[in-house]
Amino acid sequence: MTGASDPVVDVLIAEPVIAERVTGLAKDIARSEPEDLLIVVILKGSFVFAADLIRALDRAGAKPRVDFMTLSSYGKGVKSSGSVTLSRDISEDVAGRHVLIVDDILESGRTLMFARDLMTERGAVSVKTCLLLDKTGKREVPIEADFTGFEIGDRFVIGYGLDLAHRYRGPPYIGVVRGG
Ligand code: IMP
Ligand code: MG
């Protein structure tokens, strides 16, 4: 159902383009994968990406463990609130493990920095990061991803798991909200 208040969305990255890139990322990760990799998926935005990436990793021969952590920094709007909140933790023990953090989009860098520091504090042997999207030029803290799907400009995107005020996670493509 669509409503009069739904935003106009233009396709920025189409479904087959995403699929091809996810396969490429999985191959890169599998090539550098240490034994007994633990993937930590940052919810909610990356659940669709993570589901595809984990299946692509399996096809590439990697058999990681997977756990989930919910972090939020956005509240209901399109602007980051600045502070990161941990509302659901992983249950896996991180000490002595090789961790790969998977998230949807890198903007200010605060979410990724929070997650990476937490894994390091808990004694991870190594912490790498895989981000579907990177809003280059928007960084407020110094952090870059080890594996990046696509670089995009400063525009608000939805779909493929990414939300606008907790909606529009469903489209299989990445779309730009017109005027956003
Ligand atoms: P950062 O902490 O500023 O790097 O923001 C990263 C988080 O903000 C991501 O994990 C997303 O959940 C959210 N986010 C940033 N940009 C967008 C966007 O364009 N659409 C939807 N969510 C976004
Ligand atoms: Mg997120």
Side-chain angles (χ1 to χ4, degrees), residues 42-46 71 103-104 111:
I42 308 299
L43 298 174
K44 298 174 187 170
S46 64
L71 297 179
D103 202 0
D104 51 0
T111 305

Side-chain angles (χ1 to χ4, degrees), residues 50-72:
D52 282 347
L53 183 68
I54 286 154
R55 285 176 288 180
L57 279 168
D58 187 78
R59 287 192 291 273
K63 309 277 181 268
R65 290 171 196 248
V66 184
D67 205 344
F68 303 89
M69 172 181 277
T70 308
L71 297 179
S72 50

Side-chain angles (χ1 to χ4, degrees), residues 105-110 112 133-145 148 151:
I105 184 162
L106 184 54
E107 190 173 14
S108 75
R110 285 197 203 92
L112 193 62
L133 303 172
D134 184 350
K135 286 188 191 176
T136 47
K138 290 284 282 180
R139 216 73 82 242
E140 286 170 28
V141 293
I143 188 164
E144 298 303 331
T148 301
E151 294 185 352

Side-chain angles (χ1 to χ4, degrees):
M1 207 169 79
T2 55
S5 60
D6 282 332
V8 180
V9 175
D10 297 312
V11 176
L12 180 67
I13 310 173
E15 212 177 338
V17 179
I18 299 173
E20 198 184 326
R21 188 69 194 107
V22 170
T23 300
L25 284 172
K27 285 181 181 160
D28 291 346
I29 293 165
R31 218 173 286 133
S32 67
E33 189 211 16
E35 283 291 304
D36 201 20
L37 180 69
L38 171 63
I39 290 188
V40 174
V41 178
I42 308 299
L43 298 174
K44 298 174 187 170
S46 64
F47 76 107
V48 176
F49 172 46
D52 282 347
L53 183 68
I54 286 154
R55 285 176 288 180
L57 279 168
D58 187 78
R59 287 192 291 273
K63 309 277 181 268
R65 290 171 196 248
V66 184
D67 205 344
F68 303 89
M69 172 181 277
T70 308
L71 297 179
S72 50
S73 66
Y74 255 60
K76 278 176 139 187
V78 296
K79 213 175 149 21
S80 173
S81 65
S83 65
V84 179
T85 317
L86 168 64
S87 51
R88 183 198 178 278
D89 207 345
I90 51 170
S91 53
E92 292 268 352
D93 190 1
V94 161
R97 309 286 293 276
H98 294 277
V99 173
L100 177 73
I101 296 170
V102 171
D103 202 0
D104 51 0
I105 184 162
L106 184 54
E107 190 173 14
S108 75
R110 285 197 203 92
T111 305
L112 193 62
M113 180 91 86
F114 180 95
R116 196 186 65 179
D117 289 354
L118 193 60
M119 296 300 108
T120 304
E121 275 164 30
R122 288 178 179 177
V125 184
S126 70
V127 186
K128 290 210 165 160
T129 54
C130 176
L131 278 284
L132 176 65
L133 303 172
D134 184 350
K135 286 188 191 176
T136 47
K138 290 284 282 180
R139 216 73 82 242
E140 286 170 28
V141 293
I143 188 164
E144 298 303 331
D146 295 294
F147 304 96
T148 301
F150 303 94
E151 294 185 352
I152 61 170
D154 180 16
R155 48 237 301 227
F156 197 82
V157 289
I158 55 98
Y160 198 67
L162 290 116
D163 72 306
L164 168 60
H166 307 297
R167 294 176 65 201
Y168 313 109
R169 295 189 195 273
Y173 53 83
I174 291 160
V176 189
V177 177
R178 217 177 274 183

